[in-house]
Each structure stands twice: as C-alpha cells, then as structure tokens.
Amino acid sequence: MTRTLSFINLRRSFTTLLLATAGYHYVEASLNSMMQANGKLYFGNIIDTNTMQGNEDGVLKGEFGMFTPEYSWKWNRIQPEKGQFHFNDSDAVMEWAEANGKQIRGHTLVWHQNIPDWVDAITDKEDLTKVIKDHINKAVGRYKGRVYAWDVVNEVFNEDGTFRDSVFYRVLGEDFIPLAFRTARDADPNAKLYINEYNLDYAGPKIDAMLNLIHRLQAQNVPIDAIGSQTHLTSGRVSEVPAQLKRLASTGLDIAVTELDIRIKRPVTPAKLQQQKGEYALVTKGCLDVPACVGISMWGVSDKNSWVKEALPAFGAPLMWDGNLRRKGAYGAVDGLLRKVGEGAEMAGAKVSVTRRHGGRRGRHGKRRLSL
C-alpha cells in the first residue's frame, strides 16, 4: 500500500510539473467534488468554533462541502435559559460556511441530550408545546434560506424499538415528532427536514421501528423529507449497512449517512486497519448505489480528536486521518472508489480540474477551465 500511494503521489507531482510548464494549474479533486461527480450532493464533516481555526482547517476546507455543527447549534448552547437565546457561536459557524462556499446541516432541534434542566423539568403539555415551537421558530428562523437541512428530531428510539424516555415523549407522547416537523417546515419551507438516528445499520427492532414511524408520519402528511443514518460503526460489523440503506430508501424519502466513523477494537493493528479500509469503501459504495442517498458526512477528521477516544476508550482509530493528520488507508480506499466509479477522463489516477493561466480562449473571468 505504501509503495502504491507513493507511486500515485509521484505521478501527481510529475503531472503538476508538466501542467505548470504548459501554463496550467493542477487542482487535486476533493472528496466532495468527486462525490458530486458521482451524482451525489456532498461529502461532509463536522465543524464548530473549536475546529474552524485549528490544524484541521485546511483539510476541512479542502476536502468537504457540507458541514454539521458539532456543538453550537444544540438547544443548551442556543437557549440555555428560557427565552434567552445565544447565537454568537452558531452565527460564527454559519459565517465561516458562507465565507468558504460551504453548506450547513443544522443539528439538532429536538434531542433528549444537550437540553437545559429547565426543559427537562417541564410536565405540562401546553407549556412544552409552546417551548418546542418557540425554540424551533427562533433557531430555524434565524438561518432561514441559509441552511441545506435540519436534523429536526434526533435519536428517539431505544435499541428494542421502543421510544426513548425523554421529556418530549413523557409529556407529549409520539405527537412531539409531528409538532417539531410542522413547526420547522413553517419556519423554513425550503430546508430539508431530517429525522436522525444511530444503529440503523443492522436488521432488527430499531430500524423496524423507524420504518414504521416513517409510514405513520407519511400517513399524517407530516412534512418529513429525509432519514439520517448516523452510521457510527464498529469494524467487523459493517456488512449490513448497504442493505439497511436500501430499506430506509424504500420509504421514498431522501437518506444520508450523517455521522460516519468506524472504530477499531484495541489494539489497533495493520490487519485491522486493512479491514477498516475495505469497510469505508463498502459504506461509500452503499450510498453510491442507492439513488436516494444524497451524501455522506464524517464525524471528525483526525483520530486524535474523535469522540471515540473518550467515550469508548476500548476502541480507537475511527477516522480517515491518523493522529498526525496523515491520510490512512481508509482515505485511499474511498478516494480510489470515487475516482473509479465517477465519470470523466483520468490523469494519474485522478479526475482533476485544470485552469490555464495564459493564452487560449478565455471565459468571462479570463480563465480557461479544462477537465482531464
């Protein structure tokens, strides 16, 4: 693998030199641009105020097109006290995205975690209904017309397919879900509205419950557009993902892989990393093969900063860049798959974009673009 990657890099360097000599500038294809070349909308990742200026900034800007705020758009950050809204951090994320030509998936509006104590203490139906509406109207309304999508409700099911014991379900029952979606649609009619959940990656009661819920919501004409499958995976248990994505797509809704990582049981060995490499390719191809799958979002860049490190210390190495921000074999597998499947001519194993610096017929901005 090392020899193969080195040879590819050498060919790319030589290609860059040849193009520069001829007056062209070589632009290496990103995961996002290659995903779009394959007919999807994006390859994305997470972002927040702690990563916008960090050492991962260059990778985030260079590789990804869609971003999910990791912390700053959650309820306890936006409305920690009743009626007191704080948008400084969420505004900073929105402004970063717009300044860099990126899109945002709002995350998340109604979730049992990351809610303030004052919300969790509500017992009155009318009070909670008003609180949900006010929060959604404020948050969604502030970014109306500026975001691609919202995770409207997040993680509503237990593993056995029963509803999670959240304040929302305790007080309102299942009705909190239609309430949240209808309120969000009114607040921003053009945003894609998602229900987001983890462990939809295997056949069983949880994905069955999700599919049944979707059918009930559709029967009530609830304005739900898409299902987000978080896809926090354990290496060695990935093979069912493509089949479950097809099941989710059978609802007629858009689907997306929203929080992808594949953790490895320690100790992390070369053999386990090789297995992970194939699993990343499997998940990516699973999305490519389902027309309803609009894109994939990672949950982090470097293994060093992954949530897995603290939350699941028996596991490690879940992402496509290692602790030193070097591309791993998993990156090479996804990159290679997207190049192989995508249409268009190739150079040095990559679909590239080239801009001529001088001469030739020029466009309106004085540049001539070629695809090689």
Side-chain angles (χ1 to χ4, degrees):
M1 170 54 65
T2 301
R3 289 183 178 179
T4 301
L5 290 175
S6 297
F7 180 63
I8 290 173
N9 289 335
L10 178 62
R11 291 182 66 188
R12 289 179 180 172
S13 298
F14 182 61
T15 300
T16 304
L17 177 62
L18 290 177
L19 290 168
T21 302
Y24 290 89
H25 174 60
Y26 174 87
V27 182
E28 185 176 345
S30 67
L31 294 176
N32 187 64
S33 65
M34 289 188 292
M35 197 71 164
Q36 291 175 333
N38 281 281
K40 303 301 181 181
L41 295 182
Y42 62 85
F43 210 113
N45 213 311
I46 52 175
I47 191 69
D48 226 307
T49 53
N50 62 322
T51 50
M52 290 189 304
Q53 305 300 326
N55 62 348
E56 297 178 351
D57 179 69
V59 175
L60 291 170
K61 290 178 180 177
E63 292 283 3
F64 303 104
M66 182 73 70
F67 288 89
T68 304
E70 186 176 10
Y71 302 112
S72 61
W73 292 41
K74 292 173 180 174
W75 194 316
N76 65 337
R77 298 286 291 272
I78 285 181
Q79 193 187 180
E81 301 88 25
K82 187 173 183 179
Q84 301 297 311
F85 291 85
H86 302 269
F87 290 107
N88 287 346
D89 286 348
S90 56
D91 283 351
V93 170
M94 188 76 254
E95 290 162 8
W96 179 92
E98 291 174 334
N100 290 285
K102 309 299 184 181
Q103 296 187 77
I104 289 288
R105 297 185 71 260
H107 177 82
T108 177
L109 294 171
V110 178
W111 186 29
H112 69 283
Q113 292 187 25
N114 285 268
I115 55 173
D117 290 343
W118 68 267
V119 175
D120 202 40
I122 296 173
T123 58
D124 180 76
K125 287 186 176 183
E126 289 187 7
D127 187 15
L128 185 58
T129 297
K130 183 178 186 304
V131 163
I132 291 172
K133 286 183 174 181
D134 287 349
H135 182 77
I136 292 176
N137 281 325
K138 280 283 189 178
V140 176
R142 186 174 186 86
Y143 302 111
K144 180 180 179 181
R146 300 169 72 187
V147 303
Y148 165 73
W150 279 95
D151 288 332
V152 178
V153 296
N154 193 46
E155 299 178 2
V156 299
F157 290 115
N158 296 309
E159 294 307 302
D160 63 0
T162 59
F163 278 101
R164 191 181 293 277
D165 182 26
S166 68
V167 62
F168 307 108
Y169 187 74
R170 288 195 302 271
V171 177
L172 296 175
E174 189 177 320
D175 290 345
F176 82 90
I177 299 174
L179 169 67
F181 276 98
R182 290 187 170 117
T183 305
R185 174 66 87 225
D186 289 342
D188 188 349
N190 294 318
K192 293 288 186 179
L193 305 183
Y194 277 71
I195 186 169
N196 195 45
E197 184 62 87
Y198 68 92
N199 281 356
L200 301 179
D201 317 299
Y202 323 101
K206 193 169 194 178
I207 190 170
D208 291 346
M210 174 63 77
L211 293 171
N212 290 333
L213 172 62
I214 297 301
H215 294 321
R216 293 196 298 275
L217 295 176
Q218 290 173 323
Q220 299 171 49
N221 295 314
V222 174
I224 180 172
D225 299 310
I227 306 168
S229 180
Q230 294 182 14
T231 325
H232 291 293
L233 300 169
T234 301
S235 185
R237 295 192 62 206
V238 178
S239 62
E240 289 189 52
V241 170
Q244 304 314 311
L245 290 178
K246 290 177 182 177
R247 291 185 69 197
L248 295 173
S250 71
T251 60
L253 301 180
D254 286 348
I255 62 171
V257 173
T258 54
E259 304 183 18
L260 175 63
D261 49 36
I262 305 177
R263 57 187 178 268
I264 296 174
K265 178 73 173 177
R266 296 187 187 277
V268 177
T269 65
K272 291 179 181 178
L273 288 169
Q274 185 69 15
Q275 179 174 0
Q276 182 195 56
K277 170 185 170 181
E279 290 166 339
Y280 263 103
L282 179 72
V283 174
T284 303
K285 192 169 189 305
C287 179
L288 293 177
D289 287 345
V290 176
C293 186
V294 300
I296 295 173
S297 290
M298 302 286 301
W299 205 252
V301 175
S302 167
D303 289 338
K304 180 179 180 180
N305 298 320
S306 170
W307 70 279
V308 171
K309 185 177 179 179
E310 293 186 4
L312 300 168
F315 295 85
L319 297 167
M320 296 200 296
W321 283 260
D322 67 16
N324 294 311
L325 212 56
R326 294 176 301 201
R327 293 171 177 174
K328 293 161 55 179
Y331 177 95
V334 173
D335 177 85
L337 174 67
L338 292 174
R339 295 180 192 279
K340 180 179 179 181
V341 177
E343 297 179 352
E346 295 183 344
M347 177 177 290
K351 182 175 180 180
V352 300
S353 175
V354 182
T355 303
R356 187 170 179 84
R357 290 200 183 104
H358 54 78
R361 187 175 179 179
R362 298 174 183 271
R364 59 180 295 189
H365 299 296
K367 293 181 178 180
R368 180 183 176 191
R369 296 192 65 80
L370 304 175
S371 292
L372 300 180

